[in-house]
Amino acid sequence: MSETAPGHAEHTLEHLRKIGAHNAENLRTAAERLLTAIRADGLVCTAGAGHSLAGVMESFYRAGGLAAVRPLYHPDLLPLHGAVPSTRTERRTGLAEEILTAAGFRGGADVLVVFSNSGVNPYPVELARNARAAGSSVIAITSPAASAEAPKRAGTTLAEEAEIVLDTLVPGGDASYPTDAPVTAPLSSLSNAFLWNMLLVELFDLAAAAGVDLPVWRSSNTVGGDEANAANLAHYGERVPGLL
């Protein structure tokens, strides 16, 4: 390990502590929206593009994760299916409406969570705008600071369109090292996963206090895991493509 690595590790941990404290109130509000959706038997739809799809993966069919999650996805948004084309795809106007329509997004009881570091491309912005027009709560996990430094390709930003913003506090460009002139060690994926997990913690506590049995996944690699997941698969399997 280099001499600077421990210092950067502490810098990263401090960043996570900072965003936890900074978002405490909004995390509580966001968890209330998720609990309302679950009590109404709605779904929590999660979306992102490029590397923000890592946040979507973290939210879906994951041990300890929420079972009432439907990921919104298009293969052209994934860099593994074409890196440069994936960037062009998230800049395409109209794709968000196509994906929401194909998913049968009903608004109202369903909540939308959008992961996007800068939140300036048409895809995340239009996801938020269309979902709110349908009467849904929209939670953005994004960085207004990064938005401020990026070209607004949709005329506005995800943070401006969302009802609730969970701010990753990630600087423009995403890199975090070296501190004085960052070129590597991006922060957004770590921040997205951390805020999502903090949201699950808030949701669990709210559900427990309200006497609501929260639908969560168990690891299928533990004794009894498959059996424990059977009820969630029976309830959500037909409503969430990709589960069965």
Side-chain angles (χ1 to χ4, degrees):
M1 182 181 292
S2 71
E3 293 181 4
T4 55
H8 182 68
E10 182 53 39
H11 173 74
T12 302
L13 291 172
E14 180 56 32
H15 182 81
L16 297 181
R17 285 190 286 266
K18 185 177 179 180
I19 62 175
H22 179 82
N23 290 285
E25 183 176 346
N26 281 2
L27 280 165
R28 183 77 171 185
T29 303
E32 290 170 352
R33 299 294 189 275
L34 297 193
L35 183 59
T36 297
I38 290 165
R39 296 180 89 160
D41 199 24
L43 293 173
V44 178
C45 295
T46 59
H51 286 91
S52 292
L53 282 165
V56 179
M57 278 291 298
E58 183 68 15
S59 74
F60 179 59
Y61 191 57
R62 197 218 190 292
L66 185 64
V69 167
R70 172 166 185 172
L72 301 179
Y73 172 69
H74 190 289
D76 290 349
L77 291 166
L78 182 66
L80 292 175
H81 294 166
V84 172
S86 74
T87 297
R88 288 197 298 265
T89 299
E90 67 179 306
R91 294 179 181 178
R92 178 157 67 84
T93 298
L95 178 62
E97 185 175 5
E98 292 174 20
I99 289 177
L100 288 170
T101 300
F105 185 82
R106 58 182 180 171
D110 292 342
V111 174
L112 177 65
V113 179
V114 184
F115 298 89
S116 179
N117 184 48
S118 66
V120 297
N121 286 317
Y123 181 62
V125 170
E126 292 174 8
L127 279 173
R129 185 181 298 149
N130 280 280
R132 291 202 70 183
S136 283
S137 292
V138 176
I139 300 164
I141 300 182
T142 187
S143 170
S147 301
E149 296 186 26
K152 292 181 174 59
R153 298 187 180 91
T156 182
T157 68
L158 171 62
E160 292 170 319
E161 293 289 339
E163 177 192 0
I164 301 164
V165 174
L166 301 180
D167 189 347
T168 63
L169 301 177
V170 171
D174 206 352
S176 66
Y177 187 83
T179 306
D180 56 346
V183 295
T184 191
L187 279 173
S188 63
S189 294
L190 290 170
S191 300
N192 287 345
F194 178 73
L195 283 170
W196 175 255
N197 279 342
M198 292 299 292
L199 183 53
L200 293 182
V201 168
E202 290 285 347
L203 175 61
F204 179 89
D205 287 346
L206 284 177
V212 175
D213 188 14
L214 198 64
V216 295
W217 296 111
R218 286 266 305 277
S219 172
S220 59
N221 295 316
T222 58
V223 175
D226 288 340
E227 293 77 7
N229 290 333
N232 287 330
L233 289 170
H235 188 75
Y236 294 108
E238 296 301 322
R239 297 166 59 194
V240 180
L243 277 179
L244 300 178

Tab-separated table of all heavy atoms in Angstrom, residues 99-129:
chain	number	residue	atom	x	y	z
A	99	ILE	N	-39.432	4.225	-21.931
A	99	ILE	CA	-39.143	3.207	-20.924
A	99	ILE	C	-40.236	3.163	-19.862
A	99	ILE	O	-40.671	2.084	-19.436
A	99	ILE	CB	-37.754	3.457	-20.308
A	99	ILE	CG1	-36.679	3.123	-21.344
A	99	ILE	CG2	-37.558	2.636	-19.036
A	99	ILE	CD1	-35.269	3.385	-20.890
A	100	LEU	N	-40.713	4.319	-19.430
A	100	LEU	CA	-41.797	4.339	-18.444
A	100	LEU	C	-43.061	3.709	-19.016
A	100	LEU	O	-43.755	2.943	-18.330
A	100	LEU	CB	-42.076	5.771	-18.002
A	100	LEU	CG	-41.021	6.424	-17.105
A	100	LEU	CD1	-41.301	7.915	-16.956
A	100	LEU	CD2	-40.979	5.763	-15.728
A	101	THR	N	-43.359	3.995	-20.260
A	101	THR	CA	-44.546	3.422	-20.897
A	101	THR	C	-44.411	1.912	-21.038
A	101	THR	O	-45.342	1.159	-20.728
A	101	THR	CB	-44.776	4.058	-22.281
A	101	THR	OG1	-44.971	5.468	-22.128
A	101	THR	CG2	-45.997	3.457	-22.962
A	102	ALA	N	-43.249	1.460	-21.491
A	102	ALA	CA	-43.021	0.018	-21.655
A	102	ALA	C	-43.098	-0.719	-20.330
A	102	ALA	O	-43.520	-1.881	-20.269
A	102	ALA	CB	-41.664	-0.215	-22.315
A	103	ALA	N	-42.702	-0.035	-19.243
A	103	ALA	CA	-42.732	-0.652	-17.918
A	103	ALA	C	-44.122	-0.611	-17.294
A	103	ALA	O	-44.333	-1.184	-16.220
A	103	ALA	CB	-41.740	0.058	-16.999
A	104	GLY	N	-45.049	0.073	-17.947
A	104	GLY	CA	-46.382	0.207	-17.375
A	104	GLY	C	-46.383	1.044	-16.116
A	104	GLY	O	-47.184	0.811	-15.205
A	105	PHE	N	-45.490	2.020	-16.066
A	105	PHE	CA	-45.400	2.869	-14.881
A	105	PHE	C	-46.727	3.572	-14.674
A	105	PHE	O	-47.205	4.303	-15.542
A	105	PHE	CB	-44.273	3.894	-15.060
A	105	PHE	CG	-44.018	4.745	-13.845
A	105	PHE	CD1	-43.243	4.264	-12.808
A	105	PHE	CD2	-44.563	6.014	-13.744
A	105	PHE	CE1	-43.001	5.044	-11.692
A	105	PHE	CE2	-44.333	6.801	-12.627
A	105	PHE	CZ	-43.551	6.305	-11.596
A	106	ARG	N	-47.318	3.362	-13.510
A	106	ARG	CA	-48.687	3.840	-13.298
A	106	ARG	C	-48.769	5.131	-12.506
A	106	ARG	O	-49.841	5.719	-12.386
A	106	ARG	CB	-49.494	2.766	-12.572
A	106	ARG	CG	-48.909	2.353	-11.222
A	106	ARG	CD	-49.708	1.261	-10.565
A	106	ARG	NE	-49.142	0.876	-9.284
A	106	ARG	CZ	-49.753	0.049	-8.431
A	106	ARG	NH1	-50.931	-0.443	-8.732
A	106	ARG	NH2	-49.173	-0.261	-7.293
A	107	GLY	N	-47.644	5.579	-11.960
A	107	GLY	CA	-47.687	6.790	-11.150
A	107	GLY	C	-48.430	6.545	-9.853
A	107	GLY	O	-48.731	5.410	-9.479
A	108	GLY	N	-48.742	7.610	-9.168
A	108	GLY	CA	-49.529	7.477	-7.942
A	108	GLY	C	-48.814	6.701	-6.870
A	108	GLY	O	-47.921	7.220	-6.195
A	109	ALA	N	-49.181	5.441	-6.712
A	109	ALA	CA	-48.642	4.623	-5.629
A	109	ALA	C	-47.171	4.272	-5.818
A	109	ALA	O	-46.475	3.972	-4.845
A	109	ALA	CB	-49.459	3.337	-5.489
A	110	ASP	N	-46.707	4.280	-7.060
A	110	ASP	CA	-45.315	3.941	-7.319
A	110	ASP	C	-44.407	5.148	-7.067
A	110	ASP	O	-44.782	6.286	-7.311
A	110	ASP	CB	-45.126	3.470	-8.756
A	110	ASP	CG	-45.795	2.135	-9.031
A	110	ASP	OD1	-46.099	1.418	-8.066
A	110	ASP	OD2	-46.021	1.824	-10.218
A	111	VAL	N	-43.210	4.865	-6.577
A	111	VAL	CA	-42.186	5.886	-6.338
A	111	VAL	C	-41.046	5.651	-7.314
A	111	VAL	O	-40.727	4.505	-7.650
A	111	VAL	CB	-41.669	5.822	-4.889
A	111	VAL	CG1	-40.500	6.771	-4.671
A	111	VAL	CG2	-42.786	6.148	-3.906
A	112	LEU	N	-40.423	6.726	-7.776
A	112	LEU	CA	-39.276	6.612	-8.661
A	112	LEU	C	-38.031	7.138	-7.970
A	112	LEU	O	-38.038	8.249	-7.423
A	112	LEU	CB	-39.517	7.413	-9.952
A	112	LEU	CG	-38.357	7.449	-10.950
A	112	LEU	CD1	-38.073	6.055	-11.510
A	112	LEU	CD2	-38.659	8.422	-12.093
A	113	VAL	N	-36.971	6.335	-7.990
A	113	VAL	CA	-35.660	6.751	-7.488
A	113	VAL	C	-34.709	6.792	-8.677
A	113	VAL	O	-34.540	5.790	-9.381
A	113	VAL	CB	-35.122	5.778	-6.416
A	113	VAL	CG1	-33.745	6.224	-5.930
A	113	VAL	CG2	-36.094	5.657	-5.249
A	114	VAL	N	-34.100	7.948	-8.907
A	114	VAL	CA	-33.196	8.110	-10.051
A	114	VAL	C	-31.789	8.397	-9.553
A	114	VAL	O	-31.566	9.355	-8.803
A	114	VAL	CB	-33.654	9.243	-10.983
A	114	VAL	CG1	-32.737	9.308	-12.208
A	114	VAL	CG2	-35.099	9.042	-11.423
A	115	PHE	N	-30.840	7.570	-9.981
A	115	PHE	CA	-29.428	7.776	-9.695
A	115	PHE	C	-28.793	8.489	-10.895
A	115	PHE	O	-28.891	8.021	-12.023
A	115	PHE	CB	-28.696	6.448	-9.510
A	115	PHE	CG	-29.161	5.603	-8.358
A	115	PHE	CD1	-30.196	4.684	-8.526
A	115	PHE	CD2	-28.562	5.714	-7.114
A	115	PHE	CE1	-30.619	3.887	-7.475
A	115	PHE	CE2	-28.976	4.928	-6.053
A	115	PHE	CZ	-30.014	4.007	-6.232
A	116	SER	N	-28.152	9.624	-10.668
A	116	SER	CA	-27.422	10.301	-11.741
A	116	SER	C	-26.476	11.309	-11.118
A	116	SER	O	-26.916	12.215	-10.415
A	116	SER	CB	-28.379	11.013	-12.697
A	116	SER	OG	-27.661	11.674	-13.724
A	117	ASN	N	-25.190	11.172	-11.390
A	117	ASN	CA	-24.221	12.046	-10.729
A	117	ASN	C	-24.457	13.515	-11.064
A	117	ASN	O	-24.676	14.339	-10.176
A	117	ASN	CB	-22.797	11.643	-11.099
A	117	ASN	CG	-21.764	12.468	-10.347
A	117	ASN	OD1	-21.858	12.631	-9.136
A	117	ASN	ND2	-20.773	12.992	-11.059
A	118	SER	N	-24.460	13.848	-12.347
A	118	SER	CA	-24.680	15.252	-12.720
A	118	SER	C	-26.148	15.565	-12.932
A	118	SER	O	-26.589	16.693	-12.703
A	118	SER	CB	-23.891	15.600	-13.984
A	118	SER	OG	-24.387	14.886	-15.101
A	119	GLY	N	-26.917	14.587	-13.401
A	119	GLY	CA	-28.345	14.798	-13.587
A	119	GLY	C	-28.686	15.858	-14.608
A	119	GLY	O	-29.691	16.559	-14.458
A	120	VAL	N	-27.901	15.973	-15.682
A	120	VAL	CA	-28.151	17.023	-16.667
A	120	VAL	C	-28.599	16.490	-18.025
A	120	VAL	O	-29.011	17.274	-18.887
A	120	VAL	CB	-26.897	17.914	-16.870
A	120	VAL	CG1	-26.536	18.653	-15.599
A	120	VAL	CG2	-25.718	17.086	-17.383
A	121	ASN	N	-28.520	15.189	-18.229
A	121	ASN	CA	-28.897	14.639	-19.528
A	121	ASN	C	-30.407	14.414	-19.609
A	121	ASN	O	-31.085	14.267	-18.590
A	121	ASN	CB	-28.152	13.328	-19.782
A	121	ASN	CG	-26.686	13.568	-20.120
A	121	ASN	OD1	-26.362	14.474	-20.885
A	121	ASN	ND2	-25.806	12.769	-19.544
A	122	PRO	N	-30.968	14.379	-20.822
A	122	PRO	CA	-32.410	14.238	-20.958
A	122	PRO	C	-32.993	13.013	-20.254
A	122	PRO	O	-34.092	13.107	-19.697
A	122	PRO	CB	-32.603	14.146	-22.481
A	122	PRO	CG	-31.498	14.971	-23.039
A	122	PRO	CD	-30.323	14.694	-22.125
A	123	TYR	N	-32.296	11.877	-20.274
A	123	TYR	CA	-32.884	10.668	-19.704
A	123	TYR	C	-33.267	10.826	-18.227
A	123	TYR	O	-34.444	10.645	-17.878
A	123	TYR	CB	-31.950	9.476	-19.911
A	123	TYR	CG	-32.505	8.182	-19.353
A	123	TYR	CD1	-33.681	7.639	-19.847
A	123	TYR	CD2	-31.851	7.509	-18.319
A	123	TYR	CE1	-34.198	6.461	-19.326
A	123	TYR	CE2	-32.358	6.336	-17.808
A	123	TYR	CZ	-33.530	5.805	-18.307
A	123	TYR	OH	-34.047	4.642	-17.787
A	124	PRO	N	-32.350	11.161	-17.317
A	124	PRO	CA	-32.768	11.297	-15.912
A	124	PRO	C	-33.733	12.451	-15.678
A	124	PRO	O	-34.666	12.342	-14.866
A	124	PRO	CB	-31.452	11.503	-15.161
A	124	PRO	CG	-30.486	12.001	-16.178
A	124	PRO	CD	-30.888	11.349	-17.452
A	125	VAL	N	-33.537	13.552	-16.389
A	125	VAL	CA	-34.417	14.713	-16.205
A	125	VAL	C	-35.838	14.371	-16.634
A	125	VAL	O	-36.815	14.658	-15.920
A	125	VAL	CB	-33.889	15.928	-17.001
A	125	VAL	CG1	-34.906	17.054	-17.011
A	125	VAL	CG2	-32.571	16.418	-16.408
A	126	GLU	N	-35.987	13.727	-17.780
A	126	GLU	CA	-37.320	13.400	-18.291
A	126	GLU	C	-37.976	12.276	-17.497
A	126	GLU	O	-39.204	12.234	-17.382
A	126	GLU	CB	-37.240	13.063	-19.772
A	126	GLU	CG	-36.887	14.274	-20.630
A	126	GLU	CD	-36.648	13.935	-22.088
A	126	GLU	OE1	-36.893	12.778	-22.486
A	126	GLU	OE2	-36.213	14.834	-22.837
A	127	LEU	N	-37.182	11.367	-16.941
A	127	LEU	CA	-37.745	10.367	-16.032
A	127	LEU	C	-38.455	11.060	-14.874
A	127	LEU	O	-39.608	10.753	-14.543
A	127	LEU	CB	-36.644	9.460	-15.481
A	127	LEU	CG	-36.143	8.313	-16.341
A	127	LEU	CD1	-34.928	7.663	-15.670
A	127	LEU	CD2	-37.232	7.262	-16.563
A	128	ALA	N	-37.760	11.997	-14.246
A	128	ALA	CA	-38.319	12.698	-13.100
A	128	ALA	C	-39.543	13.510	-13.490
A	128	ALA	O	-40.574	13.493	-12.805
A	128	ALA	CB	-37.259	13.596	-12.465
A	129	ARG	N	-39.440	14.211	-14.591
A	129	ARG	CA	-40.543	15.083	-15.024
A	129	ARG	C	-41.794	14.253	-15.333
A	129	ARG	O	-42.906	14.607	-14.925
A	129	ARG	CB	-40.105	15.874	-16.251
A	129	ARG	CG	-41.130	16.903	-16.730
A	129	ARG	CD	-40.602	17.615	-17.956
A	129	ARG	NE	-39.383	18.349	-17.652
A	129	ARG	CZ	-38.397	18.558	-18.519
A	129	ARG	NH1	-38.469	18.050	-19.725
A	129	ARG	NH2	-37.342	19.259	-18.168
